[in-house]
Amino acid sequence: ELKVEQNPLFLSMQEGKNYTIYCNYSTTSDRLYWYRQDPGKSLESLFVLLSNGAVKQEGRLMASLDTKARLSTLHITAAVHDLSATYFCAVVISGSRLTFGEGTQLTVNP
Amino acid sequence: NAGVMQNPRHLVRRRGQEARLRCSPMKGHSHVYWYRQLPEEGLKFMVYLQKENIIDESGMPKERFSAEFPKEGPSILRIQQVVRGDSAAYFCASSPLRTDTEAFFGQGTRLTVV
């Protein structure tokens, strides 16, 4: 059974600081996704990572994938309050069925 | 091209009633997935359907829950005799004919059982 673990589960950081969220998964996967969810809202797709060594960046967020280590990271650079949300990684074994991590609840304090 | 449409957005049911949640996939999408999100948790897969077929229902509770995706009309997730533990957000996602493409999520239905 595929397991996806994120850490930390809760992250409180100050504006301007950097931090990394980690996502480990237990089985070889086709694809890995990062999503953002604001309270009471749906999921917003941030990144799709398809191959070993893939790196994608959008604004202050950068995601990478190491398929050999079964590890993805989401790096936050110079955090701002608007980044406060819950971030999920999700892994696909086949088709489009997603297995989600528990989520990392990020709070960026002024 | 409208996105994945779910309705209702919020649903309140008393214990023992039935809940029906609807999902209209994006135009051109024939694969539908249902996920459940309990408070403060990640999303958990429930069921994967194509038109008129249930492909994978390994995440569905054995009793009271059923899903369908008819030839015409939206996909329906039906919960009979709801209990307080069914209170959650239920999300639908759809993807096109090729299953190795990204699925797009609807806004979700927040079910509250009182």
Side-chain angles (χ1 to χ4, degrees):
Chain A
E1 180 189 341
L2 173 62
K3 293 190 187 304
V4 181
E5 295 182 341
Q6 285 182 237
N7 75 83
L9 299 183
F10 298 93
L11 176 56
S12 180
M13 56 191 298
Q14 284 188 308
E15 281 191 329
K17 298 293 187 183
N18 305 331
Y19 209 84
T20 300
I21 299 171
Y22 297 88
C23 173
N24 288 90
Y25 54 98
S26 60
T27 306
T28 302
S29 168
D30 289 348
R31 285 164 282 152
L32 188 142
Y33 296 84
W34 283 97
Y35 290 94
R36 168 182 172 147
Q37 186 180 37
D38 291 289
K41 304 292 186 183
S42 187
L43 283 82
E44 174 190 353
S45 178
L46 296 174
F47 301 106
V48 181
L49 302 169
L50 299 175
S51 60
N52 188 41
V55 177
K56 292 198 174 178
Q57 183 163 4
E58 181 72 35
R60 300 175 189 273
L61 300 177
M62 183 174 71
S64 66
L65 178 62
D66 181 343
T67 57
K68 292 179 182 176
R70 296 177 186 163
L71 171 68
S72 179
T73 62
L74 180 66
H75 188 71
I76 303 154
T77 302
V80 294
H81 180 69
D82 286 352
L83 290 179
S84 297
T86 300
Y87 293 84
F88 292 97
C89 64
V91 174
V92 176
I93 297 179
S94 62
S96 296
R97 172 184 167 173
L98 295 160
T99 299
F100 285 83
E102 310 96 315
T104 296
Q105 190 173 316
L106 172 65
T107 304
V108 181
N109 303 303
Chain B
N1 186 9
V4 179
M5 304 299 291
Q6 289 188 248
N7 70 82
R9 294 288 304 275
H10 299 273
L11 181 61
V12 179
R13 283 288 177 266
R14 295 188 187 278
R15 279 179 294 172
Q17 290 185 319
E18 179 179 287
R20 279 184 178 240
L21 289 63
R22 295 175 185 78
C23 169
S24 296
M26 288 178 70
K27 187 177 180 180
H29 287 193
S30 60
H31 300 263
V32 166
Y33 304 79
W34 285 94
Y35 294 85
R36 176 165 66 176
Q37 185 178 33
L38 295 169
E40 310 297 327
E41 293 188 11
L43 281 74
K44 297 286 193 293
F45 168 78
M46 299 182 76
V47 62
Y48 162 36
L49 309 107
Q50 295 179 23
K51 288 279 187 183
E52 299 184 279
N53 283 306
I54 297 174
I55 307 302
D56 181 356
E57 56 182 347
S58 58
M60 287 278 270
K62 293 287 184 271
E63 297 177 347
R64 302 189 296 109
F65 285 71
S66 61
E68 62 177 8
F69 188 14
K71 187 176 180 181
E72 301 292 335
S75 175
I76 307 285
L77 180 67
R78 183 178 172 208
I79 311 172
Q80 294 179 291
Q81 299 175 318
V82 295
V83 301
R84 288 234 171 96
D86 295 334
S87 295
Y90 291 83
F91 290 95
C92 165
S94 73
S95 67
L97 284 171
R98 283 181 56 197
T99 57
D100 61 341
T101 56
E102 184 173 3
F104 295 87
F105 282 84
Q107 294 294 309
T109 294
R110 280 152 183 84
L111 171 66
T112 303
V113 180
V114 297

